[in-house]
């Protein structure tokens, strides 16, 4: 890596195609450009499928009032945000303009889409933000490298953007991938800095499991960059989305799925479910839970929970999301939890702030479970 040029050179060997500048088009779009009907049909389809399998718990609520845009859409391991006006007297959080990961490395925005007719996976690299500047120059020269694994031929590199900690790349790369190979693909993105001596250094990376993303609904995604030496979570991860509807003062939590859970007594699987507590100034004021998934290793829930939260209370509320295991005699030991909301830090603060800057739209993100 250290011997390669910092400038992008187009490989004419046919391994991938490169497009210089991204423009708005039908293939890559923001969520707010999607028709309301497609969003509503998606959540109704998920709800109908759950009803066929088992009855939802009494605490679960399903409503279709207000705008259909507040309904959860098909989400992936990402967080999606846009610079919408907050309105309705909600003040923008002080940290909304600078959200970053636990280690303050920064974030990267990209998009994935699959063209079935051409058997092509389209990877669009848009921008990074909140990168840590060079302590001597106060700025950065950066580029993004990517590799689609397994395999070593599917590589790409953006151009170098100089003198900014919020670089904009807007480049698109196309790889030939057969449909049956998509689920096994892993996309690794690495952000490099370049100094005046042309030395390159990885300042952060993100891994994306292509199988975790719904390629039927192209969308932009923000990922937290992590340090390359950061170890994976010890207790597992949970994916959920948040959205807030100011007109109805309604906070919606969609528990999507969990993975890599550590089961008690060394088991390979269990009967997990998720409990969600709404906390106000540290006190529990409401509780909801998902159905129990029997004998699951990586449970998929796709269940929505709705809480009534006045806009004035948002600066003082938190959500405690706990993954628990159902056992005999009504025992429910905790496998791990996440606390998200006001006065949190790291990824939890990032997720909450992005919800506040993209009202009415679901913002999804993976979180590490903690004990």
């Amino acid at each position: 890596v250290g011997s390669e040029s910092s400038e992008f050179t187009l490989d004419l060997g046919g391994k991938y195609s490169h497009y210089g500048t991204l423009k708005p088009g039908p293939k890559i779009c923001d969520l707010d450009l999607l028709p309301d009907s497609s969003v509503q049909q998606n959540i109704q389809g998920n709800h109908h499928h759950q009803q066929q399998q088992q009855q939802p718990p009494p605490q679960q609520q399903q409503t279709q009032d207000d705008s259909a845009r507040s309904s959860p859409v098909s989400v992936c391991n990402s967080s999606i945000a846009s610079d919408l006006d907050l309105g309705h007297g909600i003040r923008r959080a002080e940290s909304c303009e600078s959200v970053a990961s636990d280690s303050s490395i920064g974030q990267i925005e990209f998009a994935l889409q699959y063209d079935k007719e051409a058997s092509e996976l389209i990877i669009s690299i848009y921008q990074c933000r909140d990168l840590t500047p060079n302590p001597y120059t106060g700025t950065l020269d950066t580029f993004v490298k990517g590799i689609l694994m397994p395999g070593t031929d599917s590589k790409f590199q953006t151009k170098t953007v100089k003198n900014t900690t919020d670089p904009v790349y807007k480049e698109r790369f196309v790889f030939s991938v057969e449909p049956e190979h998509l689920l096994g693909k892993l996309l690794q993105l690495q952000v490099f800095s370049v100094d005046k001596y042309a030395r390159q250094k990885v300042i952060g990376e993100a891994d994306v499991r292509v199988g975790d993303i719904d390629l039927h609904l192209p969308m932009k995604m923000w990922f937290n960059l992590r340090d390359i030496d950061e170890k994976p979570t010890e207790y597992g991860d949970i994916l959920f989305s948040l959205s807030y509807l100011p007109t109805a003062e309604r906070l919606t939590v969609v528990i999507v799925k969990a993975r890599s859970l550590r089961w008690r007594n060394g088991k390979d699987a269990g009967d997990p479910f998720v409990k969600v507590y709404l906390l106000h100034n540290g006190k529990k004021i409401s509780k909801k839970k998902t159905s129990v998934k029997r004998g699951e290793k990586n449970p998929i829930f796709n269940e929505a929970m709705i809480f009534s939260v006045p806009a004035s209370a948002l600066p003082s509320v938190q959500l405690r999301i706990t993954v628990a295991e159902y056992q005999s005699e009504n025992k429910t030991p905790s496998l791990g939890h996440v606390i998200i909301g006001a006065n949190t830090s790291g990824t939890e603060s990032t997720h909450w702030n992005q919800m506040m800057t993209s009202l009415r739209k679901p913002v999804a993100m993976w979180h590490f479970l903690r004990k």
Side-chain angles (χ1 to χ4, degrees):
V1 172
S3 64
E4 295 181 3
S5 171
S6 62
E7 297 294 332
F8 173 78
T9 303
L10 179 61
D11 188 343
L12 300 178
K15 296 176 183 177
Y16 62 83
S17 302
H18 175 270
Y19 299 84
T21 304
L22 284 175
K23 297 180 180 179
K27 290 188 175 181
I28 303 294
C29 59
D30 290 317
L31 279 179
D32 54 355
L33 300 181
L34 296 173
D36 289 353
S37 59
S38 64
V39 176
Q40 186 67 12
Q41 289 172 1
N42 186 64
I43 186 61
Q44 288 176 346
N46 286 342
H47 181 52
H48 177 67
H49 177 68
Q50 292 166 14
Q51 285 182 326
Q52 289 179 333
Q53 289 183 330
Q54 55 194 3
Q55 292 297 324
Q59 295 88 342
Q60 182 179 344
Q61 303 178 26
Q62 294 287 345
T63 62
Q64 296 180 359
D65 58 349
D66 300 298
S67 170
R69 288 176 297 176
S70 66
S71 302
V73 300
S74 179
V75 290
C76 47
N77 71 343
S78 66
S79 58
I80 309 143
S82 66
D83 296 325
L84 298 180
D85 292 334
L86 293 180
H88 298 281
I90 301 177
R91 184 169 58 88
R92 182 182 296 274
E94 294 179 0
S95 59
C96 281
E97 297 299 334
S98 180
V99 289
S101 63
D102 286 331
S103 52
S104 299
I105 293 176
Q107 294 181 315
I108 185 170
E109 184 186 32
F110 64 97
L112 294 180
Q113 186 210 351
Y114 187 68
D115 187 336
K116 288 185 178 180
E117 295 183 359
S119 296
E120 291 179 338
L121 180 65
I122 303 167
I123 303 171
S124 302
I125 306 298
Y126 286 89
Q127 61 183 318
C128 292
R129 67 182 179 190
D130 297 326
L131 301 178
T132 304
N134 185 303
Y136 301 103
T137 64
T139 185
L140 279 178
D141 298 346
T142 60
F143 64 91
V144 177
K145 278 187 177 182
I147 180 171
L148 193 61
M149 301 182 286
T152 57
D153 293 335
S154 302
K155 299 179 180 180
F156 62 88
Q157 179 178 322
T158 69
K159 62 180 179 292
T160 299
V161 178
K162 298 184 177 182
N163 299 321
T164 178
T165 56
D166 300 301
V168 177
Y169 305 100
K170 290 189 176 180
E171 296 188 58
R172 182 176 296 170
F173 307 90
V174 181
F175 297 93
S176 295
V177 181
E178 295 301 322
E180 60 270 19
H181 297 153
L182 272 180
L183 293 180
K185 291 293 184 180
L186 175 72
L187 173 63
Q188 183 181 78
L189 301 174
Q190 293 185 322
V191 180
F192 282 77
S193 65
V194 186
D195 63 15
K196 63 180 180 180
Y197 302 107
R199 293 177 297 192
Q200 303 174 1
K201 176 184 177 182
V202 180
I203 59 177
E205 69 176 13
D207 292 336
V208 187
R209 298 182 186 179
V210 177
D212 286 343
I213 297 178
D214 184 0
L215 297 177
H216 297 93
L217 186 65
M219 64 183 72
K220 296 180 182 178
M221 298 171 283
W222 282 102
F223 262 47
N224 288 325
L225 294 170
R226 69 170 185 273
D227 189 275
I228 59 175
D229 295 325
E230 185 176 308
K231 295 182 180 180
T233 177
E234 183 179 358
Y235 302 106
D237 312 274
I238 185 170
L239 173 64
F240 59 88
S241 75
L242 302 174
S243 61
Y244 187 73
L245 185 62
T247 53
E249 296 188 325
R250 190 175 72 189
L251 175 62
T252 301
V253 183
V254 180
I255 304 299
V256 183
K257 57 184 174 181
R259 68 185 180 193
S260 305
L261 298 177
R262 172 178 284 188
W263 302 99
R264 297 170 63 87
N265 303 323
K267 297 184 298 184
D268 293 331
D271 300 334
F273 69 100
V274 179
K275 297 183 288 187
V276 180
Y277 297 91
L278 178 64
L279 311 176
H280 183 256
N281 291 325
K283 297 181 179 180
K284 298 178 182 178
I285 60 175
S286 183
K287 172 187 173 182
K288 300 180 186 296
K289 62 181 179 181
T290 68
S291 56
V292 177
K293 300 298 180 181
R294 303 286 182 178
E296 292 284 347
K297 294 182 179 179
N298 299 297
I300 299 176
F301 299 98
N302 286 328
E303 297 185 32
M305 304 174 185
I306 300 173
F307 298 90
S308 178
V309 181
S312 59
L314 283 175
S316 56
V317 298
Q318 294 180 329
L319 293 168
R320 181 185 176 98
I321 300 174
T322 301
V323 180
E325 182 182 3
Y326 181 82
Q327 296 182 345
S328 59
E329 300 179 358
N330 293 324
K331 293 181 180 179
T332 58
S334 171
L335 301 178
H337 71 271
V338 175
I339 297 179
I340 187 169
N343 303 316
T344 55
S345 61
T347 304
E348 289 75 18
S349 176
T350 296
H351 196 175
W352 187 260
N353 288 333
Q354 289 192 359
M355 178 196 74
M356 295 295 295
T357 58
S358 56
L359 299 177
R360 302 179 182 86
K361 296 199 306 182
V363 179
M365 185 179 291
W366 282 101
H367 292 268
F368 296 156
L369 293 174
R370 311 173 192 275
K371 284 290 192 180

